Amino acid sequence: MTVQTVTEMRRVALLAIVMMVMCACSGSTSATIPGPQTIPDIGTYPPLPNDAPPGASASATATAAAIGRGVNFGNMLEAPTEGAWGLIVTDDFIDKAAAAGFTSVRLPVRWSNHASVEAPYTIDEAFMARVESVVDKLLAKGFVVIVNMHHYRQLDGDPQDAGELAVTNGAIDVRFVMLWDQLASRLKGRSAKLVFELYNEPHGRLNGEPWNVLAARALRVVRKTNADRAVVIGPTSWNSAGDLPLLRMPNDANLIATVHNYNPFRFTHQGAEWVSPLLPVGVSCCSAAQEAEMTAPLDAAKAWSTAKRYPVFVGEFGAYSKADDASRIEFNRKMRQAMESRGMSWTYWEFAAGFGVYDPVKLTVRQGLLASLLDR
Ligand code: BGC
């Protein structure tokens, strides 16, 4: 399967998630706040230039390496509201992830659902404080913490989840930049172990140059308050390695690039309810052909990294629980080996939901899966 095919399947898969959530909550619809409003001019947030990216600084390279072997706290703070997808961030999760030996936590956050739809798009204080407290607990445990912006549906031009508020089209991009202005300012001053990731899996209306420009605008506002912090930027088409040639890093040394890798998609997403049409179960892993699918994007990412002199970390990979355990374990082992032999840190998707290495009901780790990721 080509990278392009996988990219397309990811697109269809994520669209299906949106449709499912909308259907599940029929009756509630997204709402646009009407009425006159003054939309700040996006021109007041000029992009950093991206004509001469210098390559990564020693500290960004060290931070990328320190991400090491990490895990996503997925289905928690990027749900429409925390808990809506069955999980909240608990102290138990933080303790168990640390005890297991993960060195980093990627924290997906849906900021867009917790901010005003009118300028200055103020982030809800209770939500901001909640994320801040989770970040500080994770940092206190010694993790490298990657805080991102996740599932800002309008930014990609996707239909919104039920109940989400919408801004008028002209406000979408400036709201994204102004959200970053706020959260970067609020989270400033932490140790270098706190990393910002500008946006998860940009796609749709962001594909190609629009994302390069918007990322460079957001980075400039982040730099007002976080001059040296490592910031992660990934390519379009869902952080596909195939889109790395389109990615233009801003002229900034404290950057890390990221890609996601769910190849072979027919294995990793078999039986996944959010993929339409549903992929048949019973697909095992990993044949030589499947392994080639897994490693091709990593080779592309490695070549890009060498040419551009920015480290690449793999922010998401994993196989859904409908696959057989032996194959999931084999997949994880092979992926880990493939990433690490190419010098890439990674964060597994994810901790305690459908791909999870932790059983949130029994409060125990899934030993085989965990060992496939962390045994030395
Ligand atoms: C999405 C999740 C999805 C996962 C695997 C992530 O990027 O945010 O909603 O479950 O990919 O498909």
Side-chain angles (χ1 to χ4, degrees):
M1 202 183 324
T2 63
V3 170
Q4 219 37 55
T5 311
V6 171
T7 298
E8 174 64 12
M9 293 180 77
R10 295 273 295 148
R11 191 189 67 73
V12 170
L14 270 286
L15 192 61
I17 300 174
V18 172
M19 299 309 289
M20 275 183 51
V21 175
M22 290 181 82
C23 293
C25 306
S26 61
S28 54
T29 52
S30 61
T32 303
I33 298 295
Q37 46 166 300
T38 309
I39 298 170
D41 180 4
I42 190 75
T44 56
Y45 297 98
L48 277 180
N50 57 9
D51 55 338
S57 64
S59 69
T61 303
T63 300
I67 290 170
R69 298 172 162 179
V71 67
N72 279 273
F73 272 16
N75 286 28
M76 302 178 204
L77 289 162
E78 90 284 19
T81 54
E82 188 182 10
W85 289 349
L87 294 176
I88 63 167
V89 181
T90 64
D91 290 351
D92 174 58
F93 289 179
I94 295 171
D95 292 344
K96 295 287 172 48
F102 288 111
T103 51
S104 57
V105 169
R106 181 169 177 262
L107 193 65
V109 184
R110 190 186 307 223
W111 297 98
S112 57
N113 235 23
H114 301 276
S116 165
V117 291
E118 292 194 64
Y121 313 114
T122 306
I123 297 173
D124 171 61
E125 173 53 29
F127 186 73
M128 184 71 248
R130 168 67 178 148
V131 175
E132 191 174 28
S133 82
V134 170
V135 165
D136 286 336
K137 281 182 184 177
L138 289 167
L139 289 172
K141 274 280 170 190
F143 289 114
V144 174
V145 182
I146 303 140
V147 173
N148 81 355
M149 191 174 299
H150 211 98
H151 289 331
Y152 184 170
R153 303 290 194 198
Q154 274 197 294
L155 198 61
D156 301 293
D158 285 343
Q160 291 181 273
D161 288 341
E164 281 194 287
L165 297 174
V167 292
T168 52
N169 284 342
I172 296 170
D173 287 354
V174 77
R175 185 169 182 255
F176 171 80
V177 175
M178 291 173 79
L179 290 178
W180 265 113
D181 203 358
Q182 295 170 68
L183 76 97
S185 166
R186 183 67 171 257
L187 295 175
K188 71 182 178 192
R190 266 77 177 177
S191 84
K193 285 190 158 187
L194 177 61
V195 175
F196 295 154
E197 180 178 335
L198 292 181
Y199 192 52
N200 177 67
E201 298 188 342
H203 60 272
R205 71 183 274 283
L206 292 181
N207 268 345
E209 195 55 16
W211 173 233
N212 288 327
V213 175
L214 189 59
R217 291 188 199 280
L219 185 63
R220 190 193 283 272
V221 304
V222 168
R223 288 290 177 242
K224 286 194 301 182
T225 51
N226 292 261
D228 302 322
R229 185 169 306 289
V231 173
V232 174
I233 305 180
T236 45
S237 297
W238 314 90
N239 288 153
S240 160
D243 271 25
L244 277 170
L246 303 176
L247 180 64
R248 297 211 279 151
M249 298 295 261
N251 299 351
D252 187 299
N254 291 312
L255 300 178
I256 298 169
T258 190
V259 296
H260 293 176
N261 190 2
Y262 285 103
N263 286 5
F265 197 81
R266 285 184 183 283
F267 165 69
T268 63
H269 280 67
Q270 62 187 287
E273 297 80 3
W274 61 96
V275 176
S276 178
L278 193 69
L279 295 172
V281 295
V283 181
S284 60
C285 196
C286 305
S287 68
Q290 288 173 314
E291 214 175 319
E293 279 183 53
M294 286 155 60
T295 54
L298 299 178
D299 285 335
K302 175 78 183 159
W304 181 92
S305 175
T306 304
K308 303 292 181 184
R309 292 174 290 117
Y310 285 100
V312 174
F313 101 98
V314 181
E316 291 187 19
F317 71 99
Y320 189 46
S321 53
K322 295 287 171 77
D324 70 86
D325 279 352
S327 290
R328 295 174 73 203
I329 286 167
E330 175 81 349
F331 169 81
N332 285 350
R333 282 197 187 285
K334 286 198 182 303
M335 272 297 292
R336 179 184 86 176
Q337 203 270 331
M339 294 181 290
E340 293 182 357
S341 67
R342 289 164 178 78
M344 294 174 188
S345 295
W346 49 262
T347 48
Y348 176 75
W349 186 269
E350 36 63 30
F351 189 66
F355 295 63
V357 290
Y358 186 69
D359 184 330
V361 177
K362 294 183 187 154
L363 304 182
T364 54
V365 292
R366 299 189 168 108
Q367 203 51 58
L369 271 184
L370 192 70
S372 68
L373 293 167
L374 295 180
D375 267 10
R376 285 169 200 275

